[in-house]
Amino acid sequence: MAKKILTIESSCDETSAAIIDDQLNVLGTVVASQEAIHERFGGVVPEVASRAHLEAILPVLEKTFQRAGCTLGDLDAVAVANSPGLAGSLLIGLMAAKTIAFLTGKPLIAVNHLQAHIYACRVAYKVDPFPCVGLIVSGGHTSLFRCQDALDFEEIGGTIDDAAGEAFDKAAAMLGLPYPGGPSISRCAAAGDPKAIAFPRPLVNEPDRLQFSFSGLKTAVRYKICGPGGTDTASVRLTDRQKADIAASFQAAVSDCLVAKSMAALRLTSMKTLCVGGGVAANQTFRRQLEEAAAKGKIRLFIAPPQLCTDNAVMGAIAWERYRAGLFEPLDLNIYPTKPNKI
Ligand code: KG4
Ligand code: ZN
C-alpha cells in the first residue's frame, strides 16, 4: 500500500495542509488564505498573520484529513515548512506538526519553503526536472538557484532590493488597487497597453550579472502617477485607461527582467532546464513570455500551475525526498526565518 505523508505550510499568510502519497498523488489538501484579513493594511502584518494561523490550523487539518479520507493512524510521516518565513507564522505550523509527530510516533521532516516552491513543478508534471535552474518569484523572494537535485540548491542570483511580488504589491497600492497586488495589477493590465510607458528594465543590460532590482522601477511608477519627485499624490485623478496602461507597462517591465535573468542563468550554468515557482509565476504575461523565450532557446521549461505557485502545502511533497534519504528531525526542531545561500 502507498505510504502517506501529512505536509503543513504556514510560512507567510496561507495556512495549508496536504496528505500526499509516495507516488506524489494528492489525496486531500486545503489552503486557507488570509488575503481578506491583510487587505486593509496593504500587506502582511506578521503578528496578525500568526494569530490567524493559530485560528485556522486545526480546521485546516481536520478538513484535509476529511478530504483525504484518512486518520492520524494512516500517516507514515509528518512534514512542515520551517524555513524561511515569518517567525510567528512558521511556529504555528511547526508546533502542529510536532504535536502530530509526537502523538503518532511518526518521523518529523523539515521542508525548506523555497525548495518546495520549485518542487511544485515536480509534483505537477510528474517528471524529474533536476538538475535545473530554479527561479523563485514570490512576495518575499526573487532568487535564482542552481538545483543539482531536489535537496541541493545553491543561490546564484537574486534581488538586491525588493522582491518581484513586493514590487507588484507596492505598485498596486500606488494605483489604488487592492492587495495582493499581483492579481490586481494583472486584472487592471488586461485593458492596458504594455508599450504605453517605457519603464526601466534594471540590470537587463548587464547580461552576466544574475541580479534583479525592482526598487527603481517602483519609483518610476510613483513618478508616473505623482509627477516628478513623486510628491503630488494625484493617483485619484488617473483615468481607468491611464491606470491600465501603467499596470500593463509595469507588468511587462517586471516580466522582461525575470525572463532575461532566467535565460542568463541558464547560459551561465550551461543548464537546459528551468523550473519556476512562487506567487508571481501565476502571472499570465510572465508565463507567456517565459514560454516564448524557452522555446526560442530550446530550454525545457516547467512552471508550476497557478494554484501551486502561491503558497500551498502540496509543494511540501518534497518531504518524500528527505524521507527516502532518511533525513528526519528531532522534536526540538526549530524555525529558521532567514534564507541561507546554500540549502
Ligand atoms: O509565493 P507567495 O504566495 O508567497 C510568498 O512566499 O511570498 O507569493 C505571493 C506574491 C504576492 O506578492 C502577490 O502579489 C504575488 O505573489 N502574486 C502575483 C500574482 N499572484 C500572486 N504577482 C503577479 N501576478 C499574479 N497573477
Ligand atoms: Zn512562498
Side-chain angles (χ1 to χ4, degrees), residues 219-244:
T219 307
V221 171
R222 183 166 181 89
Y223 286 6
K224 191 73 210 167
I225 298 171
C226 304
T231 48
D232 173 17
T233 44
S235 68
V236 279
R237 291 205 294 267
L238 292 177
T239 63
D240 286 350
R241 177 68 212 200
Q242 284 170 320
K243 275 193 188 183

Side-chain angles (χ1 to χ4, degrees), residues 29-181:
T29 186
V30 175
V31 181
S33 171
Q34 301 177 10
E35 269 170 27
I37 299 173
H38 298 289
E39 187 179 341
R40 67 192 160 112
F41 304 109
V44 179
V45 181
E47 181 58 28
V48 173
S50 56
R51 285 164 194 251
H53 281 302
L54 188 56
E55 282 175 15
I57 190 76
L58 291 179
V60 162
L61 284 166
E62 271 172 16
K63 204 158 181 190
T64 302
F65 276 96
Q66 254 172 30
R67 286 188 178 168
C70 292
T71 63
L72 284 180
D74 296 322
L75 298 179
D76 293 279
V78 184
V80 60
N82 71 328
S83 175
L86 301 171
S89 294
L90 288 168
L91 277 173
I92 306 296
L94 181 65
M95 287 313 296
K98 282 182 180 180
T99 307
I100 295 172
F102 177 71
L103 277 173
T104 57
K106 299 298 177 186
L108 178 66
I109 298 175
V111 165
N112 179 286
H113 179 80
L114 298 181
Q115 284 181 330
H117 266 306
I118 294 302
Y119 205 76
C121 297
R122 170 79 183 87
V123 181
Y125 293 89
K126 297 263 169 70
V127 169
D128 184 357
F130 302 102
C132 64
V133 167
L135 170 70
I136 297 147
V137 265
S138 70
H141 303 280
T142 301
S143 304
L144 282 160
F145 284 91
R146 182 202 305 268
C147 313
Q148 274 321 121
D149 61 49
L151 300 177
D152 181 2
F153 280 38
E154 183 193 354
E155 188 166 17
I156 53 172
T159 182
I160 55 172
D161 41 57
D162 289 4
E166 193 181 349
F168 267 99
D169 294 336
K170 288 176 178 167
M174 287 188 258
L175 286 169
L177 301 172
Y179 174 85

Side-chain angles (χ1 to χ4, degrees), residues 15-40:
T15 319
S16 181
I19 297 176
I20 303 160
D21 74 15
D22 53 4
Q23 300 305 304
L24 303 183
N25 298 307
V26 181
L27 307 180
T29 186
V30 175
V31 181
S33 171
Q34 301 177 10
E35 269 170 27
I37 299 173
H38 298 289
E39 187 179 341
R40 67 192 160 112

